[in-house]
Amino acid sequence: MAKVLVVTSGKGGVGKTTSTAALGATLAQMGEKVVVVDFDVGLRNLDLILGAERRVVFDFINVVQGIANLSQALIRDKRVENLWLLPASQTRDKDALTEEGVAKVIGELRTKFDWILCDSPAGIERGAMLAMRYADEAVIVTNPEISSVRDSDRIIGMLDSKTVRAEQGERVEKHLLITRFDTARAARGEMLSIEDILDILATPLLGIIPESQDVLRASNVGSPVTLNDATSAPARAYIDAARRLTGETVAMMVPSARKGLMDRLLGRRAA
Amino acid sequence: MRGRSYVAFVFCPAVPILDWLEEIDATLARSPGFFVGKPVVLDLSAVDLSQAAIAHLIENLEQRNIRILGIEGVDAARLTSNMPPLLTGGRACVLAVNEPKKVESKPKTTSLLLDGQVRSGQSVVFPDGDVTVVGSVASGAEIVAGGSIHVYGTLRGRAMAGVNGNSAARIYCQKIEAELLAIDGYFKTAEEIDAISCDRPAQVWLEGDIVQITPLN
């Protein structure tokens, strides 16, 4: 059965789009049929991260308004054959999205895909509300700092009240993804610890993605971080997270700042 | 010929008649329409009334919208032709009186239970009594209660107890990291709370006009 998963955070710049692309690509590589939907109408980015920006002809809004049909707007990834993108419109704004239109498109995608990943815009307004509206599951992306955690808490409250599932008395299954986790700064107490974040948000942990230059390098070449270098630390963390999404039990690796003797002698920072 | 029997109210006037009429009035005041559509028989065996007095009594009852079906317990000679007929052979029976059922009103709920976290941006307002939270109250969330507030997690948001002027209301929590604590309008902000900073179960109460925070146990 198709699962609609919203990747959301409240705060901007925490890694929603990066996470959507990485999780989507990994699920597709695992053999699932995946579509990633960009809800950030007017400020789209998912096409860039997936390297599909030069192939956009029709977009989400065109489909909602009936100008194009879904198969015309879907863009198939060139590297992973099970991965598709439904791009947002860059020339419109969030008001172009209607609840009925989104419901229709999501309903149609449910018949075609195993996973529908909705990349939510930042904020708690119309775009973010519609991105989570029809979700079965949610990945809440949080950075280890207090403003991001508080915004995530707000979003969790909305997932529990404003989604179709919540209104029907069902639950939206929630997963917490901590991104941009800097082991060295955490060790110095400059960031919130994993324990503090879990204590505040009281939501099951899906994964911890370490802060890394690999993420920026991958987005520069228009590739999900998991496809660009599957052996990099963030890629491995995303792959583990995607496996947990499918129900697999994968041991949680908390990036540790403890340095080995050799590291200390060489003065290297642990990744 | 066919017979049919009806159950009738029987009025037994007693002297003084004026007091007895007041009793009828009291019944009517409690439930107007109590005698509407019911056959009423006047039993005059307990009193000795003249013809004029009987006529006056019937008139008084008619003014109260009570029409007499028949009269018993009196000599036929005392009745005129335009009075209700004389009845005999009445048998006593028990009347099932349909007292209007009292509407069972549920006692008003005086507490509110929240089973889980209260998230940032959520506002819980319950002016009727206590609020209990089985979980934490996040930074940016607020609880407003007419009574006391009980938090079985960490209180990180705002808690306002006794908002209807209940200065005896208190705030209890497992851990205080609150942004604002208020009881009956007197408050402490995070800055003032930090100085006391309790990392254990605590209660907040009002002493005069000062909000006090003391550890529990």
Side-chain angles (χ1 to χ4, degrees), chain A residues 150 153-154 156 199-202, chain B residues 117 119-121 138-139 156:
Chain A
R150 188 205 266 178
D153 195 61
R154 180 91 215 253
I156 295 170
D199 185 40
I200 293 172
L201 294 179
Chain B
Q117 304 267 316
R119 301 288 182 180
S120 184
S139 158
R156 299 189 178 92

Side-chain angles (χ1 to χ4, degrees), chain A residues 144-198:
Chain A
E145 41 128 357
I146 194 68
S147 58
S148 173
V149 171
R150 188 205 266 178
D151 290 1
S152 293
D153 195 61
R154 180 91 215 253
I155 282 289
I156 295 170
M158 293 186 145
L159 285 165
D160 286 339
S161 60
K162 300 281 170 68
T163 54
V164 169
R165 274 194 164 230
E167 284 170 9
Q168 291 171 348
E170 295 170 59
R171 288 184 68 248
V172 173
E173 203 181 321
K174 296 178 288 286
H175 312 274
L176 184 66
L177 188 66
I178 299 173
T179 56
R180 310 196 69 164
F181 187 78
D182 189 324
T183 46
R185 289 185 58 207
R188 289 198 298 271
E190 293 171 3
M191 289 190 317
L192 279 178
S193 72
I194 303 287
E195 292 74 30
D196 286 346
I197 298 171
L198 292 178

Side-chain angles (χ1 to χ4, degrees), chain A:
Chain A
M1 224 192 76
K3 271 189 190 162
V4 178
L5 179 130
V6 60
V7 180
T8 186
S9 70
K11 195 175 181 299
V14 294
K16 285 181 296 297
T17 304
T18 302
S19 298
T20 308
L23 292 174
T26 309
L27 287 168
Q29 281 182 316
M30 288 162 67
E32 308 271 335
K33 202 171 172 198
V34 180
V35 60
V36 289
V37 184
D38 195 347
F39 271 81
D40 207 346
V41 180
L43 293 167
R44 72 173 184 212
N45 273 325
L46 194 53
D47 55 331
L48 290 171
I49 303 282
L50 286 171
E53 74 275 14
R54 284 141 63 96
R55 299 163 61 205
V56 177
V57 182
F58 294 109
D59 57 49
F60 194 4
I61 300 299
N62 295 145
V63 180
V64 165
Q65 294 179 336
I67 293 166
N69 60 37
L70 198 53
S71 55
Q72 288 175 297
L74 286 170
I75 301 170
R76 190 171 202 163
D77 192 84
K78 284 184 170 170
R79 296 150 295 201
V80 187
E81 62 166 358
N82 271 343
L83 181 63
W84 305 72
L85 165 71
L86 182 56
S89 170
Q90 184 68 1
T91 54
R92 310 294 292 272
D93 59 36
K94 270 90 176 167
D95 294 335
L97 288 172
T98 61
E99 193 167 328
E100 304 76 43
V102 173
K104 187 177 136 271
V105 173
I106 296 282
E108 210 174 320
L109 290 171
R110 273 183 195 272
T111 65
K112 294 185 159 86
F113 293 93
D114 300 322
W115 288 88
I116 298 131
L117 268 58
C118 303
D119 182 22
S120 172
I124 54 171
E125 289 79 22
R126 190 179 183 82
M129 296 310 306
L130 286 173
M132 70 168 68
R133 184 80 185 135
Y134 300 96
D136 304 314
E137 296 190 24
V139 169
I140 298 113
V141 182
T142 299
N143 289 169
E145 41 128 357
I146 194 68
S147 58
S148 173
V149 171
R150 188 205 266 178
D151 290 1
S152 293
D153 195 61
R154 180 91 215 253
I155 282 289
I156 295 170
M158 293 186 145
L159 285 165
D160 286 339
S161 60
K162 300 281 170 68
T163 54
V164 169
R165 274 194 164 230
E167 284 170 9
Q168 291 171 348
E170 295 170 59
R171 288 184 68 248
V172 173
E173 203 181 321
K174 296 178 288 286
H175 312 274
L176 184 66
L177 188 66
I178 299 173
T179 56
R180 310 196 69 164
F181 187 78
D182 189 324
T183 46
R185 289 185 58 207
R188 289 198 298 271
E190 293 171 3
M191 289 190 317
L192 279 178
S193 72
I194 303 287
E195 292 74 30
D196 286 346
I197 298 171
L198 292 178
D199 185 40
I200 293 172
L201 294 179
T203 301
L205 186 60
L206 181 71
I208 305 161
I209 315 297
E211 168 86 62
S212 167
Q213 289 298 311
D214 292 309
V215 175
L216 187 62
R217 253 195 302 272
S219 70
N220 281 342
V221 296
S223 168
V225 63
T226 49
L227 293 185
N228 196 48
D229 179 4
T231 60
S232 65
R236 280 183 282 130
Y238 273 122
I239 291 166
D240 283 354
R243 287 169 62 195
R244 288 185 197 107
L245 271 183
T246 63
E248 260 187 74
T249 311
V250 184
M252 187 73 65
M253 301 294 283
V254 180
S256 152
R258 251 181 292 159
K259 294 176 183 177
L261 181 63
M262 283 305 287
D263 288 328
R264 249 181 264 171
L265 286 175
L266 297 170
R268 259 167 51 193
R269 280 178 57 193

